[in-house]
Structures are given as C-alpha cells and as structure tokens.
Amino acid sequence: MTLTQVSSSKVFAGLHQQFTHVSAVNNCTMKFAIYLPPQVQQGQTVPVLYWLSGLTCTDENFMQKAGAFKLAAELGIAIVAPDTSPRGENVPDDTEQSYDLGLGAGFYLNATESPWQTYYNMYDYIVNELPEIIQNNFPVNKQQGISGHSMGGHGALTIGLKNPEKYSSISAFSPICNPTKCPWGIKAFTAYLGDNPTLWLEYDATELIKRNIADSNKLPILISQGDSDNFLAEQLMPDNLIAAAEQNNYPLTYCLEVGYDHSYFFISSFIEQHLRFFNSNLTSK
Amino acid sequence: MTLTQVSSSKVFAGLHQQFTHVSAVNNCTMKFAIYLPPQVQQGQTVPVLYWLSGLTCTDENFMQKAGAFKLAAELGIAIVAPDTSPRGENVPDDTEQSYDLGLGAGFYLNATESPWQTYYNMYDYIVNELPEIIQNNFPVNKQQGISGHSMGGHGALTIGLKNPEKYSSISAFSPICNPTKCPWGIKAFTAYLGDNPTLWLEYDATELIKRNIADSNKLPILISQGDSDNFLAEQLMPDNLIAAAEQNNYPLTYCLEVGYDHSYFFISSFIEQHLRFFNSNLTSK
C-alpha cells in the first residue's frame, strides 16, 4: 500500500497533509487528511482522533472550517479526516445524483446490495483499513478516539459502540441518532442494505446502545446539538438516543446549545470541548 | 439603501450574517458578511475590523476558515468581510476568465478604463459606501481597522495609508506590497487604470509609504508573511515595502514565519495576533 502526498501546509506549528491511496475494501482511490501536531517533530507519538464528516463533505470541510488545530497543537493530538464515501469513475452514484445517497453519502456502513457492495464499505475502511494505514505511516500511538458531524456523528456513534476496544471515547455534533426512523437513514439503508429493516439495526446508535454492553465497554459519549438546527426533529432524533441511554445506564453527556444551527459555525464554537473530552478520556490502551 | 439578509448563524455566542444590497458605486448588487460579537446583545457598540480577501475569494473565505471568532467574541470586535469585486450579469469579466482579472479580482481600486470603470470601484466601496452602510445598520462605533490577505493585503495597506483618519491600524497577511512591479499588479493596473504607470502609483503601498506622511498620520502596520509562500518573491515583494518604511521611519512590524505558505492554514495560525494588534491600537476616534 503506497501513500501519495497531495498537499502539505504548516498550521499552528504542526502539519496539515492530504494523501491518496488505493483502498482494498472500497476498491477505489481514497483521499484523507491528517493534522500532525508539533510534538511529533520531537519524536513523540501522539493519540489520534478520527473525524467523520457529514453528507456532501470531503476530507476538507473539518480541516478548513472547524478551527481545531490551535488546541490540537497544544494538547498534542493528531486528527484524521477521511472522505465520506468511495470516489472515482467506476464508483456508482445515486441515479438521481441526490446529495443523500451515493457519492458523499457512504453512511459508514458495509453495503450488501447491488450496485453498492463492491465499493461502499466505509465501515471496514474506518474501523480497520484506514487506522492500519495511519498506524504504519505516521507517528501515532494506539490511543484512538472517534468523532463526527451529522451523518459522521452517526458513524462515530455506531463505530465506537461496536468497537469499544479500539477507542477511548466517542463524540458527535448533531448526529443522526436513530437512522432507522428518519428519512435520510431509511433511504440510505434501503439502498445499501436492502429492504429488511432488521438488518439495519446494526447501524443505528439508538438500537446499539440498547444492547447488553458490559460496563467496562461503555465508552463515554459526548454529544453537542444546536437547538436551531433545521434537521433536529425530522432527521437527528437525539431524544430517542437519550431515552435508550437512560434506560441502559449508558454514560452519555448531551449538550443542547441554544441558538446554534447545523453548520460548521456551530462546530467551531464547541470543538474545543470535544478535543478536551477526547484528551481527558485517553488511557494507555 | 435596503439590506437583504441572506443568512444568520450563531457562532461563539455572536452572530455571523450575510447581506446583499445595491451598490451605487459598483452599479450592481454586492454581498458582504459581518460577525457581530456577543457584546452587542447588551447594547454595546463595538469597533469594526474590515477584512479584504484575496484573488478568487468572496465574503465567505475568511469567515469560514480564519478561526477569528473566538477571540473577536472575547475582545468585542465586529468583523466585516466584503466581496472581492462587483458581481452580476452586467458586470464585465476578463475575456479569458483568468483568476487574476475581473470577477474576484477587483484590486480595491477605482477603474478608469473601459469596460471596467462603471462597475469596478472597489476603492470607493471599501472606503466610503460600505462603512456608511455598516455604521447605519449595525451597532458599531466609529473605531475602524483594516486588514486583508494577498490582494486584500494590498487593499488594506493602500486604503489605510491613504485614509489615516478613518482607521486606527492596518494589518495584512502575505500582501502584494509593490503591485506596480509584479505580474499580478501590472496586469490588473494596465487593464483597470490604463498604460500610464504614473497613475498606478496611487495604488501601490510601497510608493505610498514613501510620501511625506506626518507622524500623526502614520497608522501602525503589522504584516505576517510565510517564508514558504509560493508567491513571495515574484508577486508579494515585501522587501521593497520594508526598505521604503525604513527610509521613511514608518512604524511597520514585519513578521516572517518560517515554514508557512499562502493559505488560510497560515492565516488561522496567526489571526489572533492581528486581532490583538487591532484591539491594542484602538483609540476613541
């Protein structure tokens, strides 16, 4: 596996870099961005936070708009931002080219249905392939966290809940909390996973949190949600996740922020809380 | 003059808003963005920093990528980001649609040549029309600063040098310091101002700083420049400005930052220095 460097820029004394590589699980060339804090220049290995972006995004949105690097540099945190779907000429897109299916809308699952299943395996990509690349090519240690926004918040929650041995904490901004019940999730899961809703439950945070999770596997979760978010009631449904967490004694901190919307203006306002949450939950795994 | 609100998002307890309005000097509909810090909600009026963006930019680049709002909220600073040229169906563009002339490349001057002169009057827009709109419609006081990046750094320097009574300080990232000597400037000035280079001197910071400026009119200038900036030698030429400042005892602070490039990754790394510089030079004008 060869990494091809696309860009490198110094930012807050660290480096923002973009790379492409051939993905075995997605059968295409994938692009990701990484922020390496200045501590790595002194030979330190650093923990790494994976950031999963939302619908229509690429590796660029978080890196350009979140304002995360000042504190990441101070705390010594690497951040990895993958793309949101496979890309390329051969990769199928929604026939109607809608923003919420196909390119830019991988939903962090392994597709089982045609024509998606050969390429749309973002779950395996985020859980296994990409971390292996990062571990083998960059000065990071084994401590990982996972975070994301909207569709990427859904990805962070479901991947973190299903792989507690891989992460120290989970956080999300404005996540799709109960995708089997909302239009975005139903549309995507029907296409990618078929029309048996029982199979969708594997990728629904509210359903996963209801499972019998040993206390030692309950990663702490932080969620930030703006109450002026246009998607809150119809698509995000945090109340369902909160109720399931309460019923199952799951350690969830839910911060409702008055007046904030679904944009990166909201994320930038509270990203420091999430970096500090990640940092405070690090352990030597 | 009517303002039409295009968007409003809460960010760092303040508001980011976009507006359009008919511009008398540019003969088209112009768009700008404003950040209003939380202090205005308690009835305070706040000082305002004008940010002039570079080639190809709109009102959005700085607002989305600079990471300025946390400190602007803390210090109580409004920020206004105009567009970089007139826009619209009637507005002429470069016949070759190059990125460095026409739309997105107004160069903060008043054009005298056809077909530009009816629309490309960004100097009057920034100096007079836009501040009047801001003063009449938002809770800002009379204290103003001017800053910008690249072509916008050129705009901030030249406008600030020519209007010391209007601003408290000038700052710039990676400015075009001597446009009458570099390819970007020569191309734009030839088109907008005609082929008599004497007329170009009005819009060249290095030339303006050579003029006999009374000490009381010497606004402090801060410049940040990355030494890995691809445009440094051919287009930006800060050494010429520094030499002119030294010869004329002009108060210039020039910060060369090792390893940084021309991007917003650089700006975001040092924007706090510029906001603190603006804040520390405020006086009750």
Side-chain angles (χ1 to χ4, degrees):
Chain A
M1 208 288 307
T2 308
L3 284 184
T4 303
Q5 185 171 311
V6 177
S7 76
S8 181
S9 289
K10 191 171 178 180
V11 54
F12 282 105
L15 285 176
H16 172 272
Q17 300 184 316
Q18 294 172 294
F19 295 89
T20 58
H21 66 95
V22 173
S23 165
V25 300
N26 288 339
N27 277 298
C28 69
T29 296
M30 295 292 296
K31 190 173 177 184
F32 69 86
I34 186 167
Y35 177 70
L36 292 167
Q39 287 82 357
V40 305
Q41 296 158 26
Q42 281 79 50
Q44 281 189 45
T45 60
V46 293
V48 57
L49 178 63
Y50 288 84
W51 174 270
L52 308 184
S53 291
L55 290 166
T56 76
C57 290
T58 68
D59 67 289
E60 294 188 350
N61 304 67
F62 179 85
M63 295 305 206
Q64 296 185 354
K65 297 181 178 180
F69 300 141
K70 183 184 183 189
L71 187 59
E74 187 183 316
L75 298 175
I77 296 170
I79 303 174
V80 172
D83 204 347
T84 53
S85 77
R87 306 267 181 186
E89 272 187 30
N90 298 325
V91 176
D93 192 8
D94 178 32
T95 49
E96 297 176 359
Q97 298 192 314
S98 58
Y99 75 98
D100 54 0
L101 186 67
L103 300 181
F107 272 86
Y108 305 102
L109 50 72
N110 292 332
T112 57
E113 299 299 295
S114 185
W116 313 104
Q117 80 277 31
T118 308
Y119 303 95
Y120 284 75
N121 294 300
M122 288 296 290
Y123 179 87
D124 280 350
Y125 180 69
I126 300 299
V127 174
N128 296 309
E129 190 178 39
L130 182 60
E132 193 179 320
I133 291 168
I134 300 299
Q135 293 287 338
N136 289 341
N137 291 278
F138 299 95
V140 299
N141 58 38
K142 298 282 184 188
Q143 299 189 86
Q144 301 187 146
I146 192 158
S147 186
H149 173 231
S150 195
M151 177 184 75
H154 143 75
L157 289 168
T158 53
I159 286 173
L161 285 164
K162 292 170 75 164
N163 299 277
E165 76 288 358
K166 291 187 187 294
Y167 306 98
S168 300
S169 63
I170 304 167
S171 83
F173 286 83
S174 330
I176 304 172
C177 292
N178 199 179
T180 60
K181 299 270 170 41
C182 78
W184 278 340
I186 291 168
K187 177 177 177 179
F189 289 4
T190 301
Y192 294 139
L193 303 172
D195 51 15
N196 178 359
T198 309
L199 301 177
W200 304 354
L201 304 180
E202 278 296 312
Y203 297 109
D204 185 306
T206 298
E207 294 300 326
L208 292 171
I209 221 167
K210 291 177 185 170
R211 294 184 178 178
N212 188 20
I213 305 171
D215 282 349
S216 60
N217 281 333
K218 289 177 174 171
L219 300 181
I221 298 177
L222 170 65
I223 293 177
S224 291
Q225 174 63 57
D227 82 339
S228 296
D229 185 327
N230 288 334
F231 301 113
L232 180 51
E234 187 188 4
Q235 301 283 12
L236 306 181
M237 302 181 177
D239 290 347
N240 295 358
L241 183 71
I242 293 167
E246 286 170 346
Q247 285 160 21
N248 293 274
N249 196 30
Y250 196 101
L252 165 66
T253 300
Y254 177 77
C255 298
L256 187 71
E257 303 291 354
V258 173
Y260 287 90
D261 62 21
H262 199 69
S263 72
Y264 267 89
F265 290 125
F266 171 50
I267 295 171
S268 67
S269 301
F270 296 95
I271 189 64
E272 290 199 357
Q273 283 187 11
H274 286 243
L275 293 176
R276 291 191 190 282
F277 176 79
F278 167 69
N279 194 58
S280 67
N281 283 293
L282 290 174
T283 53
S284 303
K285 286 203 169 183
Chain B
M1 207 286 307
T2 309
L3 284 184
T4 302
Q5 185 171 311
V6 177
S7 76
S8 181
S9 289
K10 190 170 178 179
V11 55
F12 281 106
L15 285 176
H16 172 273
Q17 300 184 315
Q18 294 171 294
F19 295 89
T20 59
H21 67 94
V22 173
S23 165
V25 299
N26 288 338
N27 277 298
C28 69
T29 296
M30 295 292 295
K31 190 175 177 184
F32 69 85
I34 186 167
Y35 176 70
L36 292 166
Q39 287 81 357
V40 305
Q41 295 156 27
Q42 280 80 51
Q44 282 189 43
T45 61
V46 294
V48 56
L49 178 64
Y50 287 84
W51 174 270
L52 307 184
S53 290
L55 289 166
T56 76
C57 290
T58 67
D59 66 290
E60 295 189 348
N61 303 67
F62 179 84
M63 294 305 206
Q64 295 185 355
K65 297 181 177 180
F69 301 141
K70 184 185 182 186
L71 186 59
E74 188 183 314
L75 298 175
I77 297 169
I79 303 173
V80 172
D83 205 345
T84 53
S85 77
R87 306 267 182 186
E89 271 186 31
N90 297 327
V91 176
D93 192 9
D94 178 35
T95 50
E96 296 176 0
Q97 298 193 314
S98 59
Y99 75 99
D100 53 1
L101 186 66
L103 300 181
F107 272 86
Y108 305 102
L109 50 73
N110 292 333
T112 56
E113 298 300 295
S114 184
W116 312 104
Q117 80 276 31
T118 309
Y119 303 96
Y120 283 75
N121 294 300
M122 288 297 290
Y123 179 86
D124 280 349
Y125 180 70
I126 301 299
V127 174
N128 295 310
E129 189 178 40
L130 182 59
E132 192 178 321
I133 291 169
I134 300 300
Q135 294 286 338
N136 289 341
N137 290 278
F138 299 95
V140 299
N141 57 40
K142 298 281 184 189
Q143 299 190 84
Q144 300 187 146
I146 191 157
S147 185
H149 173 232
S150 195
M151 175 184 75
H154 143 75
L157 290 168
T158 53
I159 287 172
L161 284 164
K162 292 170 75 165
N163 299 277
E165 75 288 358
K166 292 187 186 293
Y167 306 99
S168 301
S169 63
I170 303 168
S171 84
F173 287 83
S174 329
I176 304 172
C177 292
N178 200 179
T180 60
K181 299 270 171 35
C182 78
W184 279 340
I186 292 169
K187 177 177 176 179
F189 289 3
T190 303
Y192 296 138
L193 303 173
D195 50 16
N196 178 357
T198 309
L199 301 178
W200 304 353
L201 303 180
E202 279 295 312
Y203 297 110
D204 185 306
T206 297
E207 294 299 326
L208 292 172
I209 220 166
K210 291 177 186 170
R211 296 184 178 179
N212 188 19
I213 305 172
D215 282 348
S216 60
N217 280 333
K218 288 177 175 170
L219 300 183
I221 297 178
L222 170 65
I223 292 177
S224 292
Q225 175 64 56
D227 83 339
S228 296
D229 185 327
N230 288 335
F231 301 113
L232 180 50
E234 188 188 3
Q235 301 281 11
L236 307 181
M237 302 181 176
D239 289 347
N240 296 358
L241 182 69
I242 293 167
E246 285 170 348
Q247 285 160 21
N248 294 275
N249 196 28
Y250 195 100
L252 165 67
T253 300
Y254 176 77
C255 299
L256 186 71
E257 303 292 354
V258 173
Y260 288 88
D261 63 20
H262 199 70
S263 71
Y264 268 89
F265 290 125
F266 170 50
I267 296 170
S268 68
S269 300
F270 296 95
I271 188 65
E272 290 200 357
Q273 283 187 12
H274 287 242
L275 294 176
R276 291 190 189 284
F277 177 78
F278 166 68
N279 195 57
S280 68
N281 283 294
L282 290 175
T283 52
S284 302
K285 286 207 172 181

